Amino acid sequence: MAYPVSFSFEEFNNISSHSGKLKYANERLQKLSSGSSRVVYRVDDDKVLKIAKNSKGLAQNSTESDYSLQRSYSIIAKVFEVSDDGFWVEMELAKKTTPNRFKELNGVSIKEVDDILRNLKNVYDPYYRKMHGSGNLLELEKKQHEIINNNEFLSELWDMIQNYDMSYPADFGRISSYGEVLRDGDPTIVLVDFGLTQTTYKEYYFRK
């Protein structure tokens, strides 16, 4: 399958304004979701098209399409193509998942993922450490890493967060950030929204 015959990338790319491109996509593709930074459209049974609305959408598209990131981790949806300006990315379509299905396939619940990341955020927050005393947090830190090290999904997620300076818990504790795909015939949970780095958060989302 492919793009509808009414959708032409030549026409799409020749539209000068972001609003014009979004209007073009709205009229020709099925909209799946829309957030503050990007709109996601279904292309066919295999792909979606993510289009940036603004600068923070461009930044997240850039992160998700990073070659090294894509090559290094199996828990993220694959990016097939990206525009030269990062305005759009073509990504693997993942069907919606549920908390029960998430736990069945990963051996850990979405709530546990959120709790672990929130605990570690506190452990490494200097203000939190000052308030509670670093010594009192050592046992909490040890417990979280024991859980992570004993779960393949959590290990890969935490490694990715650290290596790419991603903001957490952020969207990682939300079931809507995940979907299910087949990898080598096996059902697999993957992240479909993973572009928020600490830099992007501080620049576009953080309010002092």
Side-chain angles (χ1 to χ4, degrees), residues 37-38 56-64 193 195-196 200 205:
S37 60
R38 296 182 291 181
K56 57 187 179 183
L58 292 172
Q60 290 179 66
N61 279 351
S62 176
T63 297
E64 290 181 350
D193 189 358
L196 186 59
T200 300
Y205 291 87

Side-chain angles (χ1 to χ4, degrees), residues 38 121 129 147 183:
R38 296 182 291 181
K121 187 75 170 181
R129 294 180 76 91
I147 298 172
R183 291 283 168 81

Side-chain angles (χ1 to χ4, degrees), residues 97 102 110 153 157 172 174-179 189-192:
T97 191
F102 184 96
I110 189 67
F153 176 84
L157 176 62
F172 296 124
R174 300 173 184 168
I175 194 66
S176 59
S177 296
Y178 298 88
I189 297 294
V190 295
L191 276 157
V192 295

